[in-house]
Amino acid sequence: MRNDITHDPGEGLSPTLERNIQALVARRRREQHAAKGQEKVADAITAFTGSMAFVYLHVAVFGFWIIANLHWLPGIPAWDESFVVLAMIASVEAIFLSTFVLISQNRMSAAADKRADLDLQISLLAEHELTKVARLLTQIAERLDVQPDSKRDLEEASRDIAPERVLDRIEQTRS
């Protein structure tokens, strides 16, 4: 029997998984579209500065600057023999680039926080549903007079979990 969760290994992804992927892609596109113009500019600059094209551009420009100011290129007069201007340009560029990177990282961090919240909610829902299933299995086993191998494990799985207590315990262990 085939349904939304099972699939034929030869046909690829299940329809449910495909739907979930499409929903996530659509969500990311909406979030990118909703980004402010400033954020889009910062992301574009960060993407370019993280590319090999940016490295090649800097090798060419800085290389030319250094070679010319070392008097290695005949006919081109030196304009920054002490390289103070080059150092200043590189320093100002570094200030701006680090700011653009931080802006992009802040956006990525906010998106990661949203995904972590979603993961937590799904995990809590799954825990709740599994607890219900464990209780139902216990009732079925009792009705059929089937003794589980580990009654303690089954009882533990049947207990509700209080997420706030789990979080409190995690915080206690970190201290």
Side-chain angles (χ1 to χ4, degrees):
M1 179 177 162
R2 187 184 182 290
N3 62 32
D4 279 312
I5 296 173
T6 62
H7 72 281
D8 180 355
E11 70 180 19
L13 301 177
S14 72
T16 302
L17 188 54
E18 187 66 41
R19 185 194 70 219
N20 291 345
I21 290 169
Q22 293 304 319
L24 291 173
V25 168
R27 178 64 175 249
R28 284 203 178 144
R29 283 188 185 137
R30 280 194 311 274
E31 287 174 355
Q32 286 174 346
H33 183 70
K36 297 176 186 170
Q38 298 168 348
E39 293 170 335
K40 290 178 182 179
V41 168
D43 287 343
I45 291 170
T46 301
F48 175 65
T49 60
S51 70
M52 287 306 294
F54 184 74
V55 172
Y56 298 143
L57 176 67
H58 276 72
V59 167
V61 171
F62 286 5
F64 172 77
W65 190 297
I66 292 167
I67 291 170
N69 285 288
L70 289 174
H71 303 282
W72 292 357
L73 294 176
I76 298 179
W79 64 89
D80 185 24
E81 291 184 5
S82 64
F83 298 105
V84 171
V85 176
L86 179 63
M88 180 194 63
I89 290 170
S91 296
V92 171
E93 179 186 49
I95 290 168
F96 281 103
L97 291 180
S98 62
T99 303
F100 289 126
V101 168
L102 288 172
I103 291 167
S104 293
Q105 284 182 335
N106 286 340
R107 282 193 59 226
M108 290 187 311
S109 177
D113 287 346
K114 286 180 186 178
R115 286 191 296 275
D117 288 344
L118 177 61
D119 286 346
L120 177 60
Q121 291 298 325
I122 290 170
S123 294
L124 291 173
L125 180 60
E127 172 66 33
H128 178 71
E129 290 172 349
L130 288 173
T131 300
K132 285 181 172 181
V133 169
R135 284 184 187 146
L136 181 60
L137 284 175
T138 301
Q139 292 171 351
I140 291 171
E142 287 172 356
R143 209 170 243 167
L144 295 175
D145 198 29
V146 174
Q147 298 300 318
D149 290 337
S150 177
K151 189 169 186 163
R152 191 182 86 205
D153 288 343
L154 192 55
E155 287 172 356
E156 184 178 332
S158 298
R159 279 189 249 137
D160 281 319
I161 302 294
E164 52 284 336
R165 289 187 60 206
V166 173
L167 292 172
D168 290 343
R169 183 68 177 125
I170 290 170
E171 289 298 318
Q172 287 173 354
T173 60
R174 289 184 181 168
S175 301

